Amino acid sequence: MDTVKIDCSRPYEVLVGTGLLDTAGEHIVRTTGCQTAAVVADDTVDALYGDRVQASLERAGCRVVRFRFPHGEQSKTIATYVQLLHFLAENRLTRSDAVVALGGGVTGDLAGFAAATFMRGMALVQLPTTLLAAVDSSVGGKTAVDLPQGKNLAGAFHQPSLVLCDCDTLDTLPADVFRDGCAEVIKYGVLCDAQFFESLQKPVNEQREAVISRCVRIKSDIVSRDERDKRERQLLNLGHTIGHAIEQCSGFTVSHGQAVAIGMAHVARAAFRRGLCKRDCPGRIEEMLRLYGLPVSTSLEPEMLAQAALSDKKRTGKQITLVIPEEIGRCVLYPLPVSEIAELIREGVEAL
Ligand code: NAD
Ligand code: GLY
């Protein structure tokens, strides 16, 4: 088992290992001191792992109540959030109890936002069960639900008290959901670790614990320097500006991981054409993404993508900040006037 310490306004640990669901109760009670735990999970994950987490918490002397919701992004809404708040109130949770988010990023974001706001904030424990949640969403304290006008528009920063990543849970993950997480893993290599990037020639699934630990350490370093996403943390958006536009313009038929993969490859090609990145960088990114069965281009119109990109949260006034790879392992923030976004997207369309 590996322990990664997250050094932020409220420091906490991320434990990465196997068999952790069965010892989750003792870790959670020791860390939070809770008497009641509200375990939040979608229907799929609840059926797979809910009973084990409940049993573990009860062995540790904790009362358990369970909130279950239909799986999928369509549940990450104000309506589900309000249902969860009512559930916490009806079950008489207090500020000294804990919300336990058991699942992927949807569960973590939804349960996290409820924990951030119920009684002005209570303890949150993240038990990620997707690769994406393990390497990204369970760490760093961003919580949110979607509004009809856009993703993650209502949310709060609320750091968890503890993250327990049981890699065994990835055994039941559908292949396409695992592949989506691999796009985020590749992103960390492109961002700041060329050696780690190369190590991904060996399949992530054969080195899950090491890969998750490395990604969490990279995220931990970034979050400790910029917890509130004012500057350096924005690097984690590599591939996401164009990626979000692709998700939106495809009517969400292109998954998040696929869209991020295309976004990374696209921005790298554009960066090369602008003389901002090394010759071999776009090709190496594409090669790695293809190795994981991820796409590297889209047939969606650049003008339409540009319009969608401009509605992104990362836009500030007349400027939008993109993340540009200079070489594998080094990326920079690249502020761009909004009037130039369509041109940059066009520059990334053609293969090199
Ligand atoms: P998800 O939570 O919807 O999980 C994907 C699917 O996998 C679901 O159908 C779920 O039921 C199923 N599943 C989860 N674990 C499983 C398991 N172990 N076995 C079998 N099935 C399992 O989606 P996700 O990809 O984990 O997360 C996407 C969400 O994360 C988005 O809403 C995104 O906005 C958010 N996100 C948040 C952050 C952050 O920093 N807070 C970062 C990245 C993404
Ligand atoms: N997933 C991006 C962030 O945590 O900042």
Side-chain angles (χ1 to χ4, degrees):
M1 188 178 71
D2 192 18
T3 302
V4 184
K5 292 189 185 337
I6 311 292
D7 183 17
C8 59
S9 55
R10 196 182 51 210
Y12 55 98
E13 290 185 342
V14 181
L15 309 190
V16 184
T18 54
L20 281 169
L21 286 192
D22 297 313
T23 54
E26 61 190 78
H27 290 295
I28 293 169
V29 170
R30 182 165 19 87
T31 308
T32 67
C34 68
Q35 294 189 336
T36 299
V39 178
V40 179
D42 70 30
D43 47 2
T44 306
V45 176
D46 184 71
L48 285 166
Y49 302 114
D51 289 348
R52 272 172 64 193
V53 172
Q54 175 165 0
S56 169
L57 281 157
E58 286 175 348
R59 279 196 301 278
C62 192
R63 178 174 84 104
V64 177
V65 293
R66 275 160 72 173
F67 180 85
R68 177 184 165 124
F69 64 93
H71 65 274
E73 187 74 28
Q74 64 277 11
S75 283
K76 210 176 105 174
T77 59
I78 287 285
T80 321
Y81 161 74
V82 171
Q83 280 170 18
L84 177 49
L85 292 182
H86 287 185
F87 175 86
L88 296 174
E90 281 158 11
N91 284 284
R92 304 199 177 288
L93 274 277
T94 70
R95 233 188 230 170
S96 52
D97 292 321
V99 169
V100 176
L102 170 67
V106 165
T107 302
D109 281 9
L110 168 74
F113 188 39
T117 47
F118 185 71
M119 294 191 176
R120 300 195 185 90
M122 60 186 295
L124 168 70
V125 175
Q126 295 269 12
L127 305 187
T129 65
T130 65
L131 182 59
L132 178 140
V135 300
D136 191 358
S137 60
S138 65
V139 177
K142 282 189 182 175
T143 74
V145 295
D146 303 333
L147 297 182
Q149 293 81 358
K151 260 175 75 91
N152 297 328
L153 289 186
F157 284 96
H158 186 63
Q159 298 293 343
S161 302
L162 176 69
V163 182
L164 296 175
C165 177
D166 185 340
C167 300
D168 289 340
T169 61
L170 303 180
D171 287 340
T172 54
L173 209 54
D176 56 333
V177 182
F178 188 81
R179 205 178 300 128
D180 274 3
C182 289
E184 301 285 352
V185 170
I186 294 167
K187 179 192 79 177
Y188 282 108
V190 178
L191 266 185
C192 44
D193 190 340
Q195 203 180 335
F196 174 65
F197 180 84
E198 273 315 308
S199 77
L200 300 176
Q201 295 286 350
K202 180 177 168 185
V204 169
N205 211 17
E206 291 172 20
Q207 45 167 346
R208 297 189 303 206
E209 215 171 307
V211 163
I212 292 169
S213 289
R214 182 66 194 122
C215 294
V216 171
R217 281 206 163 77
I218 293 174
K219 182 153 186 186
S220 162
D221 286 347
I222 293 175
V223 168
S224 68
R225 289 192 291 265
D226 179 20
E227 187 174 341
R228 288 281 167 156
D229 208 11
K230 298 285 185 219
R231 197 163 169 80
E232 185 180 348
R233 187 166 176 173
Q234 292 170 22
L235 288 171
L236 294 170
N237 293 328
L238 173 64
H240 282 62
T241 303
I242 297 175
H244 283 157
I246 291 170
E247 277 182 278
Q248 198 181 316
C249 295
S250 73
F252 293 89
T253 56
V254 177
S255 71
H256 180 71
Q258 289 175 332
V260 167
I262 299 168
M264 273 193 286
H266 201 113
V267 85
R269 290 189 294 265
F272 174 70
R273 289 209 165 91
R274 289 190 170 215
L276 299 168
C277 106
K278 281 195 172 174
R279 177 75 183 91
D280 68 341
C281 181
R284 287 175 70 192
I285 293 174
E286 288 183 15
E287 200 181 307
M288 188 61 81
L289 293 170
R290 285 205 183 95
L291 189 65
Y292 283 88
L294 290 159
V296 299
S297 61
T298 174
S299 55
L300 291 164
E301 284 300 319
E303 278 66 28
M304 189 165 75
L305 293 176
Q307 280 312 311
L310 291 179
S311 64
D312 198 276
K313 285 202 299 308
K314 289 171 280 299
R315 174 183 174 177
T316 46
K318 290 192 162 51
Q319 201 165 273
I320 186 159
T321 301
L322 296 182
V323 184
I324 297 276
E326 293 185 331
E327 60 180 322
I328 300 296
R330 189 156 52 93
C331 290
V332 290
L333 297 178
Y334 185 68
L336 191 72
V338 294
S339 56
E340 286 182 33
I341 183 77
E343 192 185 336
L344 182 134
I345 292 178
R346 271 194 299 277
E347 287 164 0
V349 171
E350 290 292 318
L352 295 172

